[in-house]
Amino acid sequence: MRVLVTGGAGYIGSITTEELLKQGQKVVVFDSLQQGHKDAVLPEAVFVQGDLSDKISLENVFQSYSIDAVVHLAAETVVEHSMTDPKKYFHNNVINGINLLDSMLKYNVEKIIFSSSAAVYGEPVETPIQETHPQNPVNSYGESKLMFEKILDWYHRAYGVKYISLRYFNAAGASEKLGEEHHPETHLIPLVLKCALNYKTEKEANKKVKIFGTEYPTNDGTCVRDYIHVVDLAKAHILALEQIDELGARVYNLGNGDGYSVHEVIDTAKKITGADIEVVFASPRRGDPAVLIASSSRIKEELGWKPEHKDLESIIQSAWSWYLNHPERYSR
Ligand code: UDP
């Protein structure tokens, strides 16, 4: 099978590509490199630099390679930015997604795995969150993901497109070769580990982690999230591709089912790195729900997915090892 991975030079996309290659699949990565890294694309994959807004280069890919299925990760992904610049989120995550679907229709590609998000739920009314939980996004990022899920369902009903939407909770950790590197970095675990690195190298800058909000209705007042190892997440895409023909149209949560507060993440990172990570208290970030914890029983039962790196310590340890073993991280 030849799989087109949009956003395949990004954090989750590059590791999903790595897992597809391990399975013996052929992969074409399509990425604008606005956020992704050329160095994150393994040499066994074909790389095409392009943007989903550019219909001509997109169609060229379908024309040049016989694509059997698409894994669609290319997106704008920062919750806070989505509150101040929603048009970017609707253009990139909805309109560009429609360009992709239309090219798929034109070239008779009928299977797509979509990287959706826990942000489709908004503030939970029940925890752990099941797929049937009400969907009321509190940020335009979540809204854009929910819109595209609905568009997929209409393309399924009208044109027979087969889709599986995977609602990611908080991806974290690294594989041996590939890890997390955003510019600018906004995610908690890489920010905490970068502070630890700065502490170790005695660089003065960026030694402190900001804690966004300390009065949430949680045990210690900080936000609680469900961190899932990125390799476990990537493997779910393989299972989804293997079973999409029978399933046709399905939505799954992808999380561990355990919640950790911002304080707990920082304490675990301190233990692993031996660094005395300093914190400063800051205002809550706009658009952040207090608690997001997944029920992933549906994907476990239906696809046989099973997380292999469930505990927070091994997730953070893998990210830390990647930083230590790749001091340059990605140069391109
Ligand atoms: N967070 C924080 N300080 C930071 C970055 C994040 O306190 O510098 C908090 C954030 O408010 C959220 C949690 O850590 O509750 C996880 O945030 P992240 O950006 O990693 O993922 P998100 O849940 O937004 O997808």
Side-chain angles (χ1 to χ4, degrees), residues 17 31 77 87 113 148 156 208 224 243 248-249 287 290:
T17 296
D31 197 300
T77 59
K87 76 175 179 318
I113 311 297
F148 196 68
H156 169 69
K208 292 182 183 167
V224 169
Q243 294 172 67

Side-chain angles (χ1 to χ4, degrees), residues 317-330:
Q317 179 62 60
S318 72
W320 181 238
S321 302
W322 187 75
Y323 284 126
L324 294 181
N325 294 333
H326 302 83
E328 301 298 323
R329 302 202 271 279
Y330 298 122

Side-chain angles (χ1 to χ4, degrees), residues 280-291:
V280 282
F281 298 109
S283 309
R285 262 188 343 196
R286 284 178 70 200
D288 264 354
V291 179

